[in-house]
Structure formats: structure tokens, C-alpha cells
Amino acid sequence: MVEQPLIESRSAGARWRALPPWLRIGALYLAARAVTTGFFLIAAAMSGVGSRFGENATIADFAVGWDAQWYWLTAVSGYPLELPLTDSGQVAENQWAFMPIYAYLAAALGTVLGSWIAGAVVISLSAGYLSALVLYRLWLPRVGESAAMWAVLFFVSGPLAALFHVGYAESLFMLWLFLALLLVARRRYGWLYLVIPLMGFTRPGVLAFALFLGLFGIWRWTRRRSEALSGREISHIVALGALGVIVGFGWQVIAAVATGDAGAYLATELAWRRNWLTGDASGFIPFEGFIQGAEFWFVSWGSSALIGVIALSIAVVGVSALLLFHPAARRVGVEIRWWAASYLLYLLAVFFPQSSIFRLLVPLSPLWGAVAVPKRTAWRVGVVVVALVGQWWWIYNMYALGNTYWQIP
């Protein structure tokens, strides 16, 4: 009487494993999206007068909220040739902070589907699924089939998985990024000449990829005796790194030419930072934002600016040590580790930490492969539970309670 259910259970597991990976990942992705949709429905019901979305909010309101409005405005109005100014004469928030590919691709699809937001959400959902497929291929030879599939579940159920449902460019950017990492891991550099511009004009971050290529190239040079390094590969790495730099600064040049203001893009980006800092900004200074942020937040929490800087320094050292020495991190491969280090350094250089920091960490999603390495089922199930709790916390704060200052996704 006991053996039959066990046999049925094993056969069910065998049938699941026999399915092609794209189908299993699709099933996991659809299940995860159903859960996220449920979270959004609850958040809409809880949205009140204090929320940006007000009472009687809908999922459609959430999908087109926050930065999605800027992408929509970009699609319908283009980019301002004259920078808008605040009452104090400073550059105001405007479309130049948002890259064009996602906005216009959503507009093109939206002409078929009936609205810009419909096109945007379809792109986000589709790119999220394709990103999961690419990540699986990236993880599979490093951590094995079981861990790779668990890592996919972590990714599609993660704390920021709501981004697959809204008009943000993150899903599409991740697709280009993960494709680029997979191409580097397989030493197939030719397609990167297309992927890097797609990445660079979808959202900021391609400069981090250029830094990654530089670090990866140095690593390949040091390992040339154990893995042959041809002159052709050296040429590709150097040329692609240069392309990443050109594309990374290209949008600044385009903004400067279009507006006649050499600092148009940086002034636009700094306009958002003024929501937290008072006084006139002297301009962009690398790494200043995170130092200012550490001081700002720790003073706000009743501590001191010095403690904030010390805590930031300890966090940087701690994360660096994990990426370099932790066995699980080493399992996912040098490409993912160098990318994570490059992107974190990029964030330290350009970003002021506030509530959007959670969203800006999603390009580190390849590290889910390291989280899935421990084979204990209790650990893996626990990660899924924590991820879903984090997802609800983020949706609740950014949408049900979301306001224009403290809860910005």
C-alpha cells in the first residue's frame, strides 16, 4: 500500500525531468508570473489615498507607473531639444535619462496590440522568459542540471520579479546582458558586435560590461598557457571593450549634440539625485554618490557620516571576498564573477543609493547560480520562500504604499 504512491511520485519526477528544458522553464515561469499577478492584485486592493496610484488602483496602473511613464513619454514625444529647467534654473528630470530601444520597440508592438503599455508588458514578459532560458544555458555546464533549474526558479520568483510585469527596460536589458555573458563564456565573440549596442541603448550599464571585458581579457592572458589565447581572440576582446566604451559614452554625445549642452545627460541624471540631497551639485564626480549616500542614510538613521563610510567600506571588502573566495561563487565561473565585480564597481562609481538600488541589482541575477549550488532541498525551498516574501515586500512598498520619495522602484 505504501510502495504505489512512491512509484507514482518517482514516475512523475521522471516525467518532469524528461521534458525539454525550455518547456520546464516555461512552466516555472508561468507559475511564477501567476504568483506575481496575485501579489499585484492584492497590492491594488490595498492601494490607498497615500499611494501614488490612489484608491481603486489596477494592475494596468502599476504597469505604466513610475519610470514606465518616462519610457511612454519618450515613445510619444521623443527627446527634448531644449532641456527643461526647474524654478531655480537647474536641469529638471527629462527623457534623456532613458535609452530609446525599449521605448520605441514597445511603441512598435503597441501599434499592433492597441496601446504602448500592452507592447511594453509583452516585451518585458517575453524577455524575462528568454532571459531564464539563456541563464540556464550559462549555468548548466558549471553547476549541473539540478542546480541550474533551481537557479532558474530563484530568478523567475526573485524579489524583483515584478519587473517582468511592468513597462521597465530591465527585462530586455537582462536578455542582452545574459546573451553577451553566454557568448563570452563560449568564446563566440562575433555576435557581441550586435549585442553590445543593443545593450547600451536599452538602459545604462554597458560601461560595466566594457570593464568586465577588460578584466576578462587580463584573466585570459594570465591563463593563456592552460587555455590557448589566439591573436584573433585578443583582437576581439580589445575591439569589443572599445566598442562598449564608445557605446557607453555615445548616448552622452547624442544628448549633447541634440541639445547643444555638453553636460545634458549627466545633468539630467543628477536631477534625480536632488530628490535626496539639497544644495547645488558641482557636477558628476565618480564614487561621490555612494559616499554621499552612506553619509546621508546613516545620519538619517541616527548614526554618523563616518560610521556610514566605514560600513560602506566593510560591505565592499566583504562582497569582494565572497566573489573571490566563496566556493559556490567560484562554481558559477569566472565570467559571472568578473561581471558581478565589474557591475558593482560601476554602481559604486555612478549611483546614489536609495530605494531604486534594489532594482539596479537585478543585473547580478547570474549569481543565483551560486545560491543554487548547495544541494540541500531545505535550503533551496527556503530560498524560494525568502524570494517570494521579498517580492511581496517590494510590490507592497513600491506600489501599494508607493509615494514620490521613499518608495520609488
Side-chain angles (χ1 to χ4, degrees), residues 152-209:
V152 165
L153 181 57
F154 299 163
F155 171 66
V156 301
S157 306
L160 277 294
L163 291 171
F164 300 136
H165 294 245
V166 296
Y168 274 58
E170 268 72 11
S171 287
L172 190 59
F173 177 81
M174 283 191 288
L175 176 58
W176 307 140
L177 169 64
F178 301 159
L179 278 171
L181 290 173
L182 182 62
L183 289 168
V184 172
R186 294 183 173 182
R187 313 294 190 257
R188 297 173 64 180
Y189 299 104
W191 283 104
L192 286 170
Y193 292 96
L194 173 62
V195 176
I196 286 176
L198 289 173
M199 188 193 317
F201 291 107
T202 297
R203 70 174 308 280
V206 74
L207 286 175
F209 193 80

Side-chain angles (χ1 to χ4, degrees), residues 76-162:
V76 300
S77 301
Y79 293 92
L81 299 182
E82 183 175 342
L83 293 175
L85 302 177
T86 65
D87 293 337
S88 61
Q90 296 174 306
V91 174
E93 299 168 352
N94 65 83
Q95 298 97 296
W96 283 110
F98 302 89
M99 307 304 181
I101 286 182
Y102 180 80
Y104 291 123
L105 192 60
L109 183 58
T111 59
V112 178
L113 299 179
S115 68
W116 180 89
I117 191 57
V121 171
V122 168
I123 291 171
S124 292
L125 285 168
S126 302
Y129 169 64
L130 294 174
S131 296
L133 289 179
V134 176
L135 281 176
Y136 175 81
R137 294 299 179 188
L138 184 61
W139 288 322
L140 184 61
R142 293 163 172 78
V143 301
E145 203 280 335
S146 175
M149 195 59 70
W150 275 99
V152 165
L153 181 57
F154 299 163
F155 171 66
V156 301
S157 306
L160 277 294

Side-chain angles (χ1 to χ4, degrees), residues 8-23:
E8 291 177 357
S9 176
R10 289 194 198 100
S11 62
R15 287 196 299 270
W16 168 255
R17 289 188 294 272
L19 295 174
W22 66 267
L23 189 56

Side-chain angles (χ1 to χ4, degrees), residues 223-244:
R223 297 288 299 259
R224 64 189 183 280
R225 289 184 174 85
S226 58
E227 182 184 352
L229 179 63
S230 66
R232 184 172 180 271
E233 184 176 356
I234 294 173
S235 299
H236 275 310
I237 293 174
V238 172
L240 289 166
L243 177 62

